[in-house]
Every structure is written in C-alpha cells, then in structure tokens.
Amino acid sequence: MARIKEKKSPQVDTNNNPFIARTGNERMKVAQGMKIPKMLCGELIFESSVIMLFAETTMGKSLFGFQLADAISRGESIGYLKNEGAAQNVLYLDLENGEKVFERRYSEVEKIDGKETWFNQYDWSDNLTVVDLADPNQYEIPKENVVEWWFKHIVLLAENSGAKVVFIDNLNALIMEGGIEKSKEVAPLLRKLFDLRRTQGYTFIVIHHTPKINQSQRASRNEMSGASNLSNLVDGIFTIRRSVYNEDESSRYIIQLKPTRYSQNVYHAGNVITSRICQIHPNFTGFKIIELGDDELEFKSEEAHLSRRGMGSTQIIYEDETKKRRELLDEYVKANPDTPVTEMAEHFEVSRQTIHNDQNWLKENNGELFNNNGQ
C-alpha cells in the first residue's frame, strides 16, 4: 500500500510580513496624520487616485483632458467642478495627437483669402509638461517586459517634472504603437500605477478610446474595451457622451460610472453634467460646463440627453430599459435579499432613488419582495 505523503505546514518568515496589525484606535491615529485628498475636478477626481476617462472618438476626451491639466497647473476650477488644490506641476503624455493638432486647438484661427491662419497661441503655465512620442526610429521597444519598460519611463518623466498629477492620453496609443497587443494586457500597467498611487500619492488620469457606441443607450462601463478587467483596476470612471441639448452637435454630457472611494456617486444618471465644446477663450477649445436654468432641469437626467434619431419615442425606449432593469432587480434581490441599496445602485449603475422607485414598483406589482426596509 502506497504511503500517503504528509503535507508540510507553510513556514512564516516574521521578517517578511506583509501585514500591519493595529487596534481600530491605533489605525485611526495613523489616518489622522495623513493628508486629506483634495478634489481636483469636483467629485470626479480626487488626489491620490487612478481615474479612467473613456469615450469614443470625437467626443472631446483630449480637449477635456488638456483643459483639466491646465486648470490643475494653475490651481483653478472648471465651472462648478471644484479644484481644491493649489497650482502644481502636471505631466501630460500626449501619445496620439501631435504638435500641430495641439497648436490649432489652442490658437486663434482666421481664414484670409481662403487660407487658414493660426495666431495668438495660448500661454500655458510653466507647471505643465507635455510629452510626445519620439520618432519610432529613435527608440526600440523591448520584446519582453514591455509594460515594465513603459512604466519605468513614465515614472522617470514624472520624477523629472516634479509632477504628482499625470495624464496618459491614451491607452490605445500604447496598445497600437507600444508593443502591447491587447487591451487586457494593459492591466499590469494599471496595477503598477495603482501601487504608485498608494505608496507615493500620485494621481493618474488615464484616457481610453472605446469602439463606436450606440449614443441612444445609457452609458455603461461595459462599453470600455476590456471593461471587466480594467474597470476593477482603477479608483473611478467617468465618460463623455453626445447630447441632444439645444439640438447642438457640440453638446455633451459627462457621467460618473464608478465613484472614487472618497465620495458618493454624485454625477450619476440622475445628475449628469451638461456641457458643450466651444471656444473657452479665443485661443482655447474646451468644455463649457452649463448651469441649467429652471426650465432645463430635465437635463439633469441622462435620459434627456440621449439621441433618439430613428428609434421611436423616448417613452418607449425608457419603458423598455426600466422593465428589463426591474426584472433583473427582482431576480437579484431574491438571490441576495440583504444587499444594501447602495450596493444595488452600483451593481445596476443607477441612482439610489431609482432603486427605491423600482423596489416600490415591485412591491405594488409582485408582492412583498423586500423585508429589510430597503437597506
């Protein structure tokens, strides 16, 4: 009879311990000595966070990115999106657009005798460092440890510029031109950025392209390329979508799809940010945040912004979405009866109020499904 080999108990090296054990009060004292993260763009972005901004092409991701970088470098806010920080160094990796696109966007433009003339270029703060990719013939991407190679270069750039706020515009440039073959392979880079955020207090705003999106449907983080992989590796996510506000092609709305751990989801589907792309200054193209008048409050809701061209009435589409969500919620609550409303709202990517409304509707139509007072 074969002798069963006994498994050895794992040996613990106390000099290589990954944990810090403290009482709750001891941990609280340590936390009190730490810096309170400040808002950099309202509740969308806080210091010491890794934030993902994604949208399809032509939505103005880079325009908003540079506008935000400029505001942070000057210690200024963008509309009611408050920046609590002082002027500081910012590093912006512009990996796709190039110098001439940059020049045109931030110059006054006139046509003289049919020829376009650019003049009066915008005066940027010296706190902002902008990085372009060099000619591919001037560097060689290694065949192995590609992510580590890019990460070390990004860290070196940040250290040399003295910047704790870093924009990476965009992930697709690394995927298409940087020797990284698939979106999911960017995950190790995000993990490294996340570790750097945790250990050294960096803030990373990562801009990501998505495939073409159905602009008649509500925004979801599932629209991100590699969504299930990437969305779990960042602290917060928001996106820019086209809007039918004022029937203006330049209208946009901004919606928060994953709030940072420092605040609740403020800019959710019931309280989106209405904006439009325009000349903020004669030589600066950016986003104007719109303060809605009393007769425009419907545009606080994402539903009012959605394009309905050739798709029937808004009411029909809204009812279809609501019916499907309520069916899924019914199943979800039966399987998870003690789930808090906040967690359900995050799972279905809607507001707490929407979950309460759905619960009330299900109670009235399907009997008493909830026995925990909606908590």
Side-chain angles (χ1 to χ4, degrees):
M1 183 174 178
R3 186 177 178 181
I4 300 175
K5 189 175 181 180
E6 294 184 5
K7 293 183 179 179
K8 293 183 178 180
S9 299
Q11 299 299 310
V12 175
D13 181 359
T14 56
N15 294 320
N16 188 28
N17 183 7
F19 299 111
I20 301 173
R22 296 170 292 210
T23 67
N25 288 330
E26 288 171 341
R27 193 178 190 225
M28 189 69 76
K29 286 182 180 179
V30 172
Q32 288 171 353
M34 293 179 176
K35 177 183 174 184
I36 299 175
K38 296 177 180 177
M39 291 181 184
L40 296 179
C41 184
E43 286 81 3
L44 293 177
I45 302 174
F46 281 82
E47 291 177 330
S48 301
S49 297
V50 179
I51 304 297
M52 179 81 76
L53 162 58
F54 77 90
E56 68 174 357
T57 186
T58 74
M59 288 299 106
K61 301 182 298 296
S62 295
L63 291 176
F64 190 74
F66 268 112
Q67 185 177 358
L68 178 55
D70 180 57
I72 295 172
S73 74
R74 299 176 187 274
E76 298 174 354
S77 302
I78 300 176
Y80 56 73
L81 300 175
K82 190 173 183 180
N83 175 15
E84 297 176 325
Q88 61 179 299
N89 292 334
V90 178
L91 176 68
Y92 198 108
L93 279 70
D94 187 2
L95 305 180
E96 188 176 58
N97 293 302
E99 296 91 331
K100 294 307 289 185
V101 172
F102 183 74
E103 181 188 8
R104 190 188 190 287
R105 287 176 174 173
Y106 306 107
S107 302
E108 287 194 65
V109 180
E110 281 189 6
K111 279 193 174 181
I112 301 175
D113 296 330
K115 183 178 180 181
E116 200 169 74
T117 302
W118 306 348
F119 63 99
N120 187 27
Q121 283 75 18
Y122 184 70
D123 185 19
W124 298 85
S125 166
D126 289 338
N127 290 335
L128 175 63
T129 299
V130 183
V131 175
D132 293 281
L133 282 178
D135 187 309
N137 295 321
Q138 296 180 9
Y139 62 92
E140 182 178 350
I141 300 171
K143 296 189 185 323
E144 297 181 355
N145 299 321
V146 178
V147 168
E148 181 74 17
W149 186 78
W150 282 111
F151 174 73
K152 286 183 176 179
H153 277 283
I154 291 171
V155 172
L156 181 61
L157 286 167
E159 290 176 348
N160 289 343
S161 67
K164 285 291 188 179
V165 178
V166 180
F167 288 76
I168 301 176
D169 184 3
N170 58 64
L171 278 186
N172 291 71
L174 294 181
I175 296 168
M176 300 299 293
E177 306 292 340
I180 300 175
E181 295 180 0
K182 299 176 183 178
S183 292
K184 67 179 182 180
E185 294 177 6
V186 178
L189 176 61
L190 292 180
R191 290 192 188 98
K192 288 179 177 296
L193 298 181
F194 199 89
D195 288 343
L196 202 58
R197 179 275 289 169
R198 181 173 55 84
T199 59
Q200 298 188 39
Y202 277 89
T203 303
F204 291 98
I205 296 92
V206 182
I207 297 176
H208 190 29
H209 276 323
T210 64
K212 191 168 181 59
I213 294 168
N214 186 341
Q215 293 288 327
S216 66
Q217 295 181 353
R218 291 174 56 183
S220 165
R221 56 178 141 170
N222 292 328
E223 295 166 347
M224 289 170 51
S225 298
S228 60
N229 200 16
L230 301 184
S231 64
N232 293 326
L233 299 175
V234 296
D235 295 303
I237 301 171
F238 68 99
T239 186
I240 300 171
R241 296 285 295 269
R242 196 179 304 280
S243 168
V244 297
Y245 177 79
N246 278 356
E247 298 182 356
D248 185 344
E249 285 294 320
S250 66
S251 291
R252 302 286 187 270
Y253 73 91
I254 300 170
I255 182 170
Q256 193 172 24
L257 298 176
K258 180 181 179 180
T260 72
R261 61 200 184 287
Y262 298 122
S263 74
Q264 295 181 340
N265 191 351
V266 174
Y267 302 114
H268 49 71
N271 187 40
V272 300
I273 300 165
T274 303
S275 61
R276 67 186 180 92
I277 297 174
C278 61
Q279 297 300 121
I280 303 300
H281 308 293
N283 55 1
F284 193 106
T285 305
F287 278 65
K288 178 178 175 58
I289 306 300
I290 297 171
E291 297 271 5
L292 296 172
D294 291 341
D295 59 339
E296 300 177 313
L297 294 183
E298 64 177 304
F299 282 99
K300 282 184 171 292
S301 169
E302 180 183 19
E303 188 66 30
H305 291 269
L306 299 181
S307 170
R308 304 296 177 183
R309 291 172 221 162
M311 296 193 62
S313 72
T314 299
Q315 187 62 29
I316 291 174
I317 294 171
Y318 176 74
E319 288 176 354
D320 286 346
E321 290 179 351
T322 301
K323 180 181 178 182
K324 183 177 180 181
R325 184 184 64 250
R326 286 173 176 170
E327 289 174 353
L328 293 173
L329 178 63
D330 190 1
E331 296 174 3
Y332 184 84
V333 172
K334 286 177 179 176
N336 307 278
D338 297 321
T339 304
V341 168
T342 300
E343 189 173 324
M344 285 191 283
E346 182 174 348
H347 178 80
F348 288 96
E349 298 183 348
V350 296
S351 67
R352 286 170 53 92
Q353 186 59 51
T354 296
I355 293 295
H356 280 302
N357 293 341
D358 289 348
Q359 286 180 333
N360 291 334
W361 186 92
L362 288 168
K363 284 180 182 178
E364 294 173 2
N365 291 272
N366 291 348
E368 187 66 36
L369 295 179
F370 304 96
N371 58 8
N372 59 352
N373 297 316
Q375 297 300 314

